[in-house]
Amino acid sequence: MTAVTEVAVEIGKLMEAVRGGRAEEVPALLEGLGAAERRTVLARLKVLRAEVRGWESKRPREAADVRRALYVAGAGCHPGAAGAATWLGGRDLLPWRSEGGDLVLRVVAGQTPEWLADVAGRLAARPSVAEHSYRVIRGLAERAGCAVPATDGYVLGWAWEFRAGRRWRRSADAPALLDRLREDPQTPVLVVHALSMAESPDELTWTLTEAPRAHWPTAVAALVGEGVLDRAEVLGAAVSRLLRGGRPRDLRFPLDVLRLVEPTAAEFRERVPDLVGMVADGPSPIAGYAQEALAGLAADGTLPTGALAEMTGAALFRTEKKLVRAQLTLVGKVLAREPGAAAELLPAVAEVFGNEDTELQGRGLKLVGRHLSAVDGSVRLELAGQAGLLSPVHRQAAVELFGGSVEFVAGLPYEEILPPVPEPQPVGPPAATVEELVEDLLAKGVSDDPVRFERALDGLVRHAHRDREALARAVREAFGATSWHEPYHFAYESHGVHSVLAALVGTVERSWFGSRLSWEPGATACLHEGLTGIRDTRLWEAASLVGTDALPFLLAAPTLSTGGIDPATLVERLRAYRDAGVEPAPADLAQALLRVLRADPGAGRAAEEAWALDTPAGLRLAAWLRSEKPLAADVRVLGREEDRSLLRWYVMHRLVVDIADNAVVREEFPPSFRWLGGSLEAAPRQCSHWIVGGEHWASILPADREVLAACLVPSLARSVDGGRETTEPLTAAAEAEGRVGRAVALALALGLGNGDADDRLRAVDALLVLASRGDLDARRVGEELAWLLAEGSVKPNRLADAARTAAATGAYGTVWAVLAAALPEVLGAEKPVRGLGEVLAVAADCVERCGARDELAGLDGVASAKGSTQLVVQAKRLRDALRR
C-alpha cells in the first residue's frame, strides 16, 4: 500500500468517525495526519457541517453527536488561531458547558503557546461563547502559560462551575465554596472582575439562606481576611461597582461583600467622595449603606464639614423619606456638637424646603430655626430665599422666623402643567437588504419593542417573497443549528419569529400548521391567552405562507409607533394585493382591521376607496371603517361574600370582564380572534400561568383602548399585592385610540395602587398622557380608587406615592380632581383607613398650589377630631386650604 493510499485511508477513517458521531476517536485519528492532510479534512468537515444543519427536524440526536465530533475535529485541523476560534465559537457547534472540551485540548496539544493564548483570548472575548467554553479556554490558557482571560463571559462560566452539579445542596461531603475558591489560582483575578461586572452571575446573588455552603460574599470576606484576596482591590472594586448603580439584583453581591469585609473608618475616609456619590445617585439600599458609613465618620468627628454639607444636599434632594429623616437627624446631632458648622450646613438643610412632603419641610424648618442665631446676615438672607419654596402650611412659621425677608411666590394665576400631547411617530420601512434584516432579527431587544418586532417580521416576509433561498442561507449562517424542531421553542426563542424562521429553512413539520391556525381560546381561557393567541396565530400563518406568492408582504404591519395603521395606507396595500391577484391571509387581514384607525380624519375617504376596490377584503375594510359598533368591553365587580372565614375575597377574584357581542368579529374573523366578538362566556378569567408577550398586547388593539384596558384589568388586579411589570402596557393604552370608559379608569386605579414603585410610575405616565390628550375621566378614576381604598385592595401609602409623583410634574389640578372623587367614601368610613393621612397630605398640597375651592364630604368630621395624628393634622390642613 502506498503512502498516499495510507493517508487516504486514515482520512477516510477520521471522516467515518466524525460522520458517525464518535468524537472520542477523533484525537487518535488526527495524530497521524500532517498539515496538508488536515487542510483536506477541514474542507470535508465544512461540507458535512452544512449538511448536518438540515438534520434537525428528523435526526436531532444524530445531529448532536456529529456536531460534537465536528467541534473536536475542526479544532485540530485549523492551522490559524483565528480560524480555530471561529470554528469553536460557531453557534451550531458550541457545546453545552464545554462538553468535549478535553478532546479539543488533546487535538491542539501540539500548537505553540502563542497560538493557544490567541485562541483562548478570542473565545473569552465573546460573552456567550466564553460562558459555554470555560473549560476549553482555561485549558488553553494553562497550557499557554498566559494570564487569566478575565472577561464577563469567562467569569460566568467560572462561577457556574462552582455549582458542582449542585452537590453543595445535596451532600454534606461536598467541598464548601470557600475551600474550592481557596484552592483555585484564578480566584484573586476573577473575584475582583466579578465584583465589577454590570450583571452579576446568578450564583453570586444567592442569599445566605438560599445557599449557606455556597454564599459567595461570605467566602470572599473570609479570603480577604486570610490574605488570599487583596483587601484594597476588593474594596475598590465593590465601591466602584456600587457607585455605577444598576439593578438591585446586580448590586447585591458587591454590597454584601462590602458589609461583610467591614471597611475601617480609615478606609471609609479614603472613599468619602464615592460614598457621597452613592448617597446622591445610588438605589435606596446603596444610598442607605453609604449614609450609614458617612454618619459613622461624622459621629467620630472625622467627616469634613464640607463633605457633610455636600452629602446633606444630596440626601435631602432624594424622595425616600427614611433617608431624608436620617439626614436631618444626623445634621441636628452634628450642629448640637459643633454650632460653628451652621453657616455651612444650614444652606444644605434648606434643600428640604422644596421637598414634596410637608412634614419633612416642617422638620427642616425647625432645625434651621434652632440654629439660625449661629449664622450671619448673609446666610440668614440665603435661607430666607430658600424658604420661599415652603408649602403654604409652613409659610406663617417662616415669616415668624425670617420676618419680612422671606418672599413667597404668590398672586400668580395657577397654570396646570401637563406633558405634551404624544404624537405617534411613523414607522420606518423594513430592512432594504438581507444583511440589514438579519441584523434586525439578531438585535437585542427586538422582542420587547412591538414596532421593531413588526418591522422585522414584515421584512422577513418581504425578503422571503423576493428570494427565499438567499434569505434561508443568510438565516442558517446567522442562527446556526438551533432546536427549531421543538415546538415549545417557537414562543420564546429569537423574538417569537422562530416558527417563521423554521418554516423558511424547512425544519418545521407542515402538519403543525393546521391545529395552530385553527386555535381558539376555550371558555375558561383568560384574556391574556386570547391576546397572545392572536399574535401566535399570525406568526404561524406567516410561517405557513412565508416565501410563497400568497404572502408578498404583511397587511398588518403598523404604520405608526402606537401599532395603528393609517386607513389610506391599508387601502393601498389591499390595492397591491388585488393587482397581484393575491387573496389576503385571514389572520393578517383580521389584525390589520383591528389596527386600522377608524377615528382617523381620513377614514371616511379611505372607506370609499376601499369599497371601490370591489374585492372581498376591500368591502370588509369599508364596512369596518363605517361601522358604528366598534369592539367594546365592560368590567363588573362582584359583591363580597358574607362569610370570608374560609377564603380571602381578593379583588382579583371579583372582577368580571364582559366582551360585548359583535357579530362581524364572531362570524368573519379567524377562530383565534372570535373571542373579541363576545364568543366566550363571561367569567373572571384569572391568570394561573406565566404571562409572556405582554409588551405586544397594546399593539394588537391600538384602536380599541377600552377593550385593551379591560384585558389588562385581571393582571393588574392580581399584582396589586405582588408581581411586577404588569403596568407596562398602560402607557401604550393611554396613547391608543378609542373609547374611554370604566375599564380604562379601573386599570389606572389599579396601576396607581400597584405594589411595585416602577409599575406605579408607569401608571402615572398613563394618567398624565390621558390628561394631556383630554381623555382622562378624573372623577371616574377617583370613584374606582374610592372602593379599592375602602376595602383595602389599594394601600394609601402606595396611592400617595403615585399621586405625589404625578403632582410634582405640575399636574396639581389633575391629581386633585382624582383625589376629590376618591376621598369622600373613604373619609366617611366607620373605621379610619390606616395611612390615609399620607393621601390627605398630597391632596392638601395640590389644593394649596392649584387654588381649588370646594366642600369635601366627610372632611369636617375627621378634621374636627381630637388628637395630633397625621390623619387629623392633614385633614385640618386640607379643610383650611379648601376654604381659603
Side-chain angles (χ1 to χ4, degrees):
M1 184 180 294
T2 65
V4 173
T5 303
E6 289 179 356
V7 169
V9 170
E10 292 302 315
I11 291 176
K13 290 180 179 179
L14 174 60
M15 289 305 302
E16 182 181 347
V18 174
R19 184 173 284 276
R22 302 190 299 276
E24 292 76 10
E25 299 178 12
V26 170
L29 292 171
L30 272 174
E31 286 181 3
L33 300 181
E37 290 80 10
R38 294 192 183 206
R39 284 195 295 271
T40 300
V41 171
L42 182 59
R44 297 186 183 182
L45 293 176
K46 290 179 179 180
V47 173
L48 178 57
R49 179 181 180 182
E51 179 185 338
V52 172
R53 287 171 178 162
W55 294 3
E56 293 302 320
S57 62
K58 297 180 179 179
R59 303 157 64 184
R61 292 186 179 179
E62 183 180 354
D65 291 339
V66 175
R67 283 201 305 271
R68 185 165 177 263
L70 282 167
Y71 178 70
V72 177
C77 290
H78 271 88
T86 300
W87 184 273
L88 291 172
R91 283 174 175 263
D92 56 332
L93 298 180
L94 190 64
W96 170 253
R97 302 292 177 186
S98 294
E99 289 179 358
D102 292 342
L103 299 176
V104 168
L105 295 176
R106 285 175 56 188
V107 300
V108 300
Q111 298 289 356
T112 65
E114 294 76 15
W115 189 96
L116 298 173
D118 192 359
V119 174
R122 290 174 183 272
L123 292 175
R126 297 171 61 184
S128 60
V129 171
E131 181 178 359
H132 288 282
S133 303
Y134 163 74
R135 294 178 196 168
V136 171
I137 297 171
R138 178 163 186 160
L140 292 171
E142 288 175 344
R143 286 161 174 74
C146 64
V148 174
T151 65
D152 286 3
Y154 185 75
V155 171
L156 285 171
W158 178 69
W160 190 89
E161 286 291 318
F162 280 91
R163 291 185 180 187
R166 298 183 182 268
R167 284 183 296 149
W168 52 266
R169 285 189 176 184
R170 299 201 308 262
S171 172
D173 298 329
L177 174 67
L178 175 59
D179 297 329
R180 300 178 66 202
L181 284 173
R182 187 187 289 120
E183 297 167 0
D184 191 342
Q186 295 188 117
T187 294
V189 173
L190 298 187
V191 163
V192 172
H193 186 91
L195 282 166
S196 305
M197 289 173 65
E199 297 184 8
S200 294
D202 290 339
E203 294 77 13
L204 276 58
T205 64
W206 284 327
T207 66
L208 188 58
T209 303
E210 289 176 311
R213 290 174 57 81
H215 188 238
W216 279 77
T218 299
V220 170
L223 293 176
V224 169
E226 296 173 7
V228 175
L229 296 176
D230 185 273
R231 183 179 180 89
E233 284 188 359
V234 169
L235 290 178
V239 170
S240 176
R241 179 63 191 90
L242 295 179
L243 189 61
R244 296 203 310 271
R247 298 182 304 171
R249 172 201 173 279
D250 296 318
L251 300 178
R252 187 182 304 153
F253 175 53
L255 179 60
D256 287 349
V257 166
L258 210 55
R259 289 187 186 279
L260 292 170
V261 171
E262 296 181 336
T264 64
E267 288 169 331
F268 276 137
R269 282 196 296 274
E270 293 174 359
R271 297 171 172 83
V272 166
D274 292 336
L275 293 169
V276 172
M278 292 180 207
V279 171
D281 301 315
S284 289
I286 309 305
Y289 172 80
Q291 187 183 50
E292 291 175 7
L294 292 169
L297 297 180
D300 295 340
T302 57
L303 181 66
T305 303
L308 177 58
E310 184 182 358
M311 169 198 179
T312 300
L316 298 186
F317 190 73
R318 296 184 68 104
T319 58
E320 298 94 332
K321 295 180 184 179
K322 181 179 179 180
L323 294 177
V324 175
R325 291 194 186 102
Q327 193 65 30
L328 291 174
T329 300
L330 172 62
V331 174
K333 290 178 179 179
V334 171
L335 287 175
R337 188 180 68 235
E338 303 175 34
E344 199 165 357
L345 292 179
L346 289 187
V349 171
E351 280 284 347
V352 81
F353 291 169
N355 194 284
E356 300 165 359
D357 191 295
T358 56
E359 186 266 337
L360 295 176
Q361 290 182 9
R363 286 192 179 207
L365 186 60
K366 289 178 181 178
L367 178 58
V368 169
R370 283 198 298 271
H371 300 279
L372 191 62
S373 60
V375 302
D376 59 23
S378 62
V379 175
R380 186 185 182 97
L381 200 60
E382 180 183 351
L383 294 171
Q386 288 288 92
L389 299 173
L390 288 165
S391 175
V393 71
H394 297 302
R395 290 181 178 178
Q396 182 58 40
V399 170
E400 294 173 359
L401 184 61
F402 295 107
S405 57
V406 61
E407 295 182 4
F408 301 106
V409 178
L412 295 177
Y414 171 75
E415 182 179 354
E416 184 84 351
I417 300 175
L418 293 171
V421 177
E423 293 292 336
Q425 300 301 308
V427 176
T433 66
V434 170
E435 292 74 20
E436 292 176 4
L437 172 62
V438 170
E439 288 182 11
D440 285 349
L441 292 170
L442 290 172
K444 185 177 181 180
V446 172
S447 61
D448 300 328
D449 187 332
V451 172
R452 293 174 63 194
F453 174 85
E454 292 285 350
R455 180 178 179 272
L457 180 60
D458 189 32
L460 178 58
V461 169
R462 289 174 182 268
H463 282 285
H465 181 256
R466 293 170 190 163
D467 191 340
R468 176 171 183 156
E469 290 305 315
L471 180 57
R473 285 195 300 271
V475 167
R476 290 191 188 98
E477 183 65 28
F479 288 89
T482 63
S483 300
W484 290 351
H485 58 283
E486 298 289 349
Y488 65 85
H489 280 276
F490 297 153
Y492 310 109
E493 298 287 339
S494 185
H495 325 309
V497 298
H498 255 195
S499 54
V500 186
L501 294 175
L504 177 71
V505 299
T507 60
V508 63
E509 294 288 346
R510 305 296 296 182
S511 60
W512 291 348
F513 292 130
S515 62
R516 285 159 175 80
L517 293 178
S518 60
W519 178 85
E520 183 174 6
T524 59
C526 75
L527 296 162
H528 304 149
E529 287 178 295
L531 287 171
T532 304
I534 287 175
R535 175 173 174 263
D536 291 346
T537 298
R538 287 187 59 228
L539 288 170
W540 280 106
E541 182 180 79
S544 69
L545 300 174
V546 67
T548 70
D549 291 338
L551 195 66
F553 57 84
L554 292 180
L555 295 172
T559 62
L560 297 174
S561 56
T562 60
I565 299 178
D566 171 62
T569 301
L570 184 53
V571 172
E572 288 304 312
R573 291 174 180 175
L574 289 177
R575 181 176 289 113
Y577 263 60
R578 182 199 64 181
D579 295 345
V582 178
E583 285 296 321
D588 186 32
L589 177 59
Q591 178 64 90
L593 293 178
L594 292 181
R595 284 178 171 165
V596 71
L597 301 177
R598 299 186 296 275
D600 187 275
R605 173 73 176 176
E608 295 176 3
E609 294 180 357
W611 186 268
L613 292 177
D614 197 26
T615 63
L619 298 178
R620 283 185 64 185
L621 174 58
W624 185 260
L625 291 172
R626 292 168 176 167
S627 173
E628 296 181 358
K629 188 180 181 182
L631 299 182
D634 185 37
V635 180
R636 293 182 289 115
V637 183
L638 300 177
R640 289 172 179 257
E641 289 184 343
E642 292 297 327
D643 182 6
R644 293 182 293 164
S645 58
L646 298 178
L647 175 67
R648 184 178 174 187
W649 197 236
Y650 289 101
V651 65
M652 69 179 182
H653 293 297
R654 301 169 52 210
L655 296 175
V656 179
V657 177
D658 295 323
I659 304 295
D661 179 76
N662 189 307
V664 172
V665 176
R666 282 190 291 104
E667 296 170 5
E668 298 182 9
F669 279 50
S672 61
F673 291 77
R674 290 173 187 160
W675 62 275
L676 287 169
S679 62
L680 292 181
E681 296 179 2
R685 302 195 187 99
Q686 301 143 24
C687 284
S688 58
H689 64 284
W690 186 263
I691 299 173
V692 179
E695 61 275 358
H696 291 264
W697 294 341
S699 66
I700 292 174
L701 296 168
D704 296 285
R705 179 166 39 191
E706 181 72 0
V707 179
L708 174 61
C711 294
L712 300 178
V713 161
S715 61
L716 290 170
R718 186 183 182 200
S719 63
V720 166
D721 281 324
R724 303 180 66 182
E725 299 182 1
T726 54
T727 63
E728 194 161 347
L730 268 183
T731 302
E735 294 177 355
E737 304 293 334
R739 189 172 70 89
V740 174
R742 182 174 192 182
V744 170
L746 184 54
L748 277 177
L750 291 166
L752 294 171
N754 194 281
D756 182 69
D758 290 337
D759 273 325
R760 291 196 297 273
L761 187 59
R762 285 188 281 266
V764 167
D765 288 341
L767 178 86
L768 296 177
V769 166
L770 283 170
S772 68
R773 298 185 66 184
D775 292 339
L776 177 67
D777 189 338
R779 179 189 59 79
R780 197 159 199 171
V781 174
E783 290 173 348
E784 300 298 343
L785 281 168
W787 70 267
L788 290 169
L789 283 167
E791 71 166 19
S793 294
V794 165
K795 303 292 188 291
N797 64 320
R798 296 171 181 172
L799 174 60
D801 174 68
R804 189 181 296 113
T805 301
T809 66
Y812 295 100
T814 298
V815 174
W816 167 244
V818 172
L819 296 180
L823 288 172
E825 180 176 339
V826 191
L827 289 169
E830 293 183 11
K831 185 178 179 181
V833 176
R834 185 177 180 182
L836 186 60
E838 284 195 64
V839 180
L840 293 180
V842 179
D845 191 43
C846 290
V847 170
E848 290 166 352
R849 293 176 183 269
C850 72
R853 300 291 180 269
D854 204 350
E855 289 292 330
L856 199 63
L859 182 61
D860 279 341
V862 179
S864 59
K866 296 180 180 180
S868 57
T869 64
Q870 186 185 30
L871 176 63
V872 174
V873 170
Q874 296 300 335
K876 290 178 179 178
R877 177 189 166 200
L878 176 57
R879 180 192 61 187
D880 295 343
L882 287 169
R883 293 177 179 178
R884 284 195 182 96

